[in-house]
Amino acid sequence: VVGKPFSIISFFSHRWVFGWMGCRWYGWAGFFFGCGSLITMTAVSLDRYLKICHLSYGTWLKRHHAFICLAIIWAYATFWATVPFAGVGNYAPEPFGTSCTLDWWLAQASVAGQAFVLSILFFCLLFPTAVIVFSYVKIILKVKSSTKEVAHYDTRIQNSHILEMKLTKVAMLICAGFLIAWIPYAVVSVWSAFGQPDSVPIQFSVVPTLLAKSAAMYNPIIYQVIDCKLACCRSGGLKTLRRKSSLNKSRTYTISAHRDSSAMNETQLEV
C-alpha cells in the first residue's frame, strides 16, 4: 500500500516519476518494513528456542510481554530506517531508475559512508540472521535428543509437543523464505557498495530486487502447507484438556445429541 503503487507507476513510465521526496519516502518505507519483518522473525525464533529448549520460559510469558516486544521491534526498525535522514546516510534511486533504496554507493565516497553501510548490514541483516540460525539449530538438536523422552509421556503432553513443533516449523519456513528472498539483494548491494563502480550490470540488478519484493507472498503459502488452522483448533482443544485434567477427581459428563425427530441418544464419558 505504501510502496508498490509508486514502483508500479514508475515501471510503466520507465523512470521514477515522484521526485526526490517520493524517492526518500519509498526507500524509507521499504527499509522500515523489511527491517521490522526480519527483527520480528528474529524475536519469533528466540521465542521458539526458549519455548522448546527452556520449558520454564513458557510459564511466565504473558500477552503484555508480546506487546512490549512488538513495540521494541518497531522502535528498532524506525531508528535504523530514520538514521539516513540525520545525514549519516541517504536513500537514492536503484540503478535501473524505477525504485529507490538505501544509498549503498556512499561506501565508495567516504569512510563515513562505509561505516554507515557496515552498521546497516550488521544490525539489520547479519546479527538477526545469526540469531535465527542459532535458535533453529539449537531447536533441531534439542528435538533429536528429546524425541524418545516425549514418547514416554501421556497423550496430552505428546499433543502439546506436536503443536509446538508444528508452530516451530511454520516459523522456520517463514524465516527461510524471507532470507532466501532478501539475501541475493543484500549480496548485490554489498557488491555495489564495496566492489568496483558499475561492476553490477543494470539488467542483473533488477532480478534480486524483484525477488526481495516477493517475500510478502510466501507466508500464506506456508500457512496453507503446514495447516495452521488445524493447529490453532488443536491448541484450543489442548487448553480444554488442561483445565479438565487439573481436577483431582474424575467426573462423569453427559453428552446429549438431537437429530430431527429421532430419540435422544446419551453417551457417558469418563474423564
Side-chain angles (χ1 to χ4, degrees), residues 48-59:
R48 295 289 87 206
Y49 162 69
L50 294 172
K51 187 75 173 180
I52 299 297
C53 300
H54 301 277
L55 299 179
S56 60
Y57 164 76
T59 61

Side-chain angles (χ1 to χ4, degrees), residues 60-82:
W60 62 265
L61 182 66
K62 306 299 181 184
R63 182 181 294 270
H64 69 272
H65 292 129
F67 286 115
I68 293 172
C69 186
L70 287 172
I72 294 173
I73 288 168
W74 290 105
Y76 187 91
T78 301
F79 171 78
W80 285 108
T82 309

Side-chain angles (χ1 to χ4, degrees), residues 85-108:
F85 293 140
V88 180
N90 210 342
Y91 293 101
E94 299 268 16
F96 46 87
T98 55
S99 66
C100 297
T101 186
L102 285 167
D103 192 350
W104 302 103
W105 302 271
L106 287 174
Q108 302 276 357

